[in-house]
Amino acid sequence: LQSAASMCPVMAMGVKPGDRVLDMSAAPGGKTSYICQLMRNKGVVIASDLKPERQKATVANLHRLGVRNAVTCCYDGRKIGVLMPNSFDRILLDAPCSGLGVISRDPSVKVQRTMPDVKRCAHLQKELLVAAIDALNHKSKKGGGYMVYSTCSVAVAENEEVINYLLSKRDVKLVDTGLDFGKPGFTRFEHKRFHPSVALTRRFYPHVHNMDGFYVAKIQKLSDKRKGVEEEDKNEQTAEKASNEVEAVDAMEVEGDKSEEKKIVGAGGQNQQQNAKKRKGKKKRGSNDRTRNDDGPRNKSKKISYAPRAEQQVQNVQKKKKTNAKVSKPRRMKITGM
């Protein structure tokens, strides 16, 4: 038997006969059989689950209840968004969770589950939820584009945090579940703050509603936009444009510098040529002046003496005597007789 809380997600889906529906975690088949009952065996229901061993129970229940519009398969839910994009009118994701909501009838969960298990489940739920949105067709002519996310847990990390993550990654919005009972979801918990629309989700508690702890959220897909990826692409495009502009400006500056250098070099070459011509003219003038001086007055100014060496030595001695330097002579001791 299926618990009463497990029927709430199917009631929130609002399926109609002729819809194309995906149940991402179908085993053991309780919600799948209820969806087929509401569709009156019209349309198509794809019942997928990761483990073939669990699908045996799904097939047995569908045959036992006389379901004729269901197809069972074994796919990794994280890859369905790539394998079957925009293919379904409505999707149900009863995600694998820690099971903290069933402690009232199964106390062993308190001993078996730890915080790392909760974190691991939360990461898996985020991947499955994003893949489910990618497989949802928002342009459906049957009024589709809706999916329901549910867990049998009361942990905020597996419920409100996962929904808030989806709102930041895909172009979706939360809508009313259509359930008259249940507590609204948390918009703030401890130091964490969530989107205000998270209050449209529903929480069920064992001590309040006399059923298992459960969480239900109904999501509408608006478009195929991917917020995180598109923002990164925009940032990359702006960065590429900025780099291209900088490169163009640098190239213009380099070309301007080269043209200025050419002008400077050309002007310098002209100046050098003019200076070289001036130097050549000066050299010619100087050579003419030297030749004239060599022929005339230089020879007159030179006096060649043919005196012998002795006379030159005498003249050198006389020149030395004419110096004003004082020469100190040693004093002679007078020798007196005794």
Side-chain angles (χ1 to χ4, degrees):
L1 295 176
Q2 195 80 2
S3 65
S6 299
M7 299 296 103
C8 294
V10 181
M11 294 169 61
M13 283 184 69
V15 293
K16 300 175 183 178
D19 286 346
R20 185 180 176 87
V21 182
L22 170 67
D23 187 0
M24 290 184 67
S25 297
K31 297 180 181 65
T32 305
S33 60
Y34 188 28
I35 292 171
C36 295
Q37 179 185 348
L38 295 176
M39 294 175 63
R40 300 175 185 177
N41 277 335
K42 296 179 181 179
V44 180
V45 178
I46 307 297
S48 176
D49 200 276
L50 179 62
K51 297 180 180 179
E53 296 81 9
R54 289 172 57 87
Q55 286 289 68
K56 292 179 181 180
T58 305
V59 173
N61 286 324
L62 294 178
H63 281 291
R64 180 175 60 86
L65 296 171
V67 175
R68 299 190 302 272
N69 64 333
V71 178
T72 59
C73 57
C74 296
Y75 283 112
D76 187 354
R78 294 171 292 184
K79 299 179 181 179
I80 284 180
V82 179
L83 297 174
M84 293 177 280
N86 299 323
S87 301
F88 301 97
D89 301 322
R90 298 177 190 270
I91 295 176
L92 172 63
L93 174 59
D94 185 32
C97 61
S98 60
L100 297 178
V102 299
I103 292 176
S104 59
R105 61 183 174 87
D106 188 8
S108 64
V109 176
K110 294 189 290 185
V111 182
Q112 295 174 356
R113 297 291 183 269
T114 60
M115 284 306 298
D117 294 334
V118 174
K119 293 179 180 178
R120 179 178 54 80
C121 289
H123 181 70
L124 177 61
Q125 289 159 1
K126 291 175 182 177
E127 291 180 333
L128 291 172
L129 190 54
V130 171
I133 291 296
D134 293 340
L136 193 62
N137 183 15
H138 68 283
K139 297 180 180 179
S140 175
K141 297 179 181 179
K142 301 176 182 179
Y146 293 93
M147 73 160 292
V148 172
Y149 170 79
S150 63
T151 62
C152 56
S153 175
V154 293
V156 176
E158 297 180 85
N159 298 326
E160 283 86 355
E161 285 189 20
V162 177
I163 296 298
N164 197 65
Y165 172 81
L166 178 66
L167 292 174
S168 64
K169 292 296 181 181
R170 295 292 186 269
D171 188 15
V172 297
K173 72 174 183 177
L174 291 170
V175 297
D176 189 13
T177 58
L179 302 175
D180 299 333
F181 56 98
K183 298 287 185 180
F186 297 143
T187 56
R188 59 196 311 176
F189 180 75
E190 294 180 349
H191 64 281
K192 298 176 182 178
R193 301 292 181 269
F194 307 120
H195 195 272
S197 62
V198 179
L200 295 173
T201 61
R202 285 289 177 265
R203 280 177 160 269
F204 304 98
Y205 299 103
H207 63 285
V208 177
H209 304 98
N210 195 23
M211 59 179 67
D212 292 339
F214 225 79
Y215 180 80
V216 179
K218 189 173 183 179
I219 305 163
Q220 181 183 7
K221 182 179 179 180
L222 301 177
S223 67
D224 291 328
K225 293 180 181 178
R226 300 183 179 184
K227 292 182 179 179
V229 176
E230 288 185 354
E231 289 177 359
E232 291 178 359
D233 294 339
K234 288 181 181 178
N235 293 331
E236 290 179 357
Q237 290 176 0
T238 53
E240 287 179 359
K241 288 181 180 178
S243 62
N244 293 331
E245 290 177 358
V246 170
E247 290 177 357
V249 171
D250 293 338
M252 293 291 289
E253 291 179 354
V254 170
E255 290 179 358
D257 294 339
K258 287 182 179 179
S259 61
E260 289 180 359
E261 287 179 358
K262 289 180 180 178
K263 291 179 181 178
I264 292 168
V265 169
Q270 292 177 0
N271 294 330
Q272 288 178 359
Q273 290 177 359
Q274 292 176 0
N275 294 330
K277 290 180 180 179
K278 290 180 180 179
R279 288 174 184 173
K280 288 180 180 179
K282 288 180 180 180
K283 287 181 180 179
K284 288 180 180 179
R285 292 175 185 174
S287 61
N288 294 329
D289 294 338
R290 286 178 184 175
T291 52
R292 290 175 184 174
N293 291 331
D294 291 339
D295 295 336
R298 271 194 183 180
N299 295 329
K300 294 179 180 179
S301 62
K302 288 183 179 180
K303 294 182 179 180
I304 301 171
S305 60
Y306 297 99
R309 291 183 181 178
E311 292 179 359
Q312 289 180 0
Q313 290 177 358
V314 172
Q315 290 177 2
N316 292 331
V317 172
Q318 289 176 359
K319 287 180 181 179
K320 286 182 180 180
K321 286 182 179 180
K322 289 179 181 178
T323 58
N324 296 323
K326 294 181 180 181
V327 180
S328 59
K329 296 180 179 180
R331 294 181 181 178
R332 294 181 179 179
M333 297 294 293
K334 293 182 179 181
I335 300 172
T336 58
M338 296 298 297

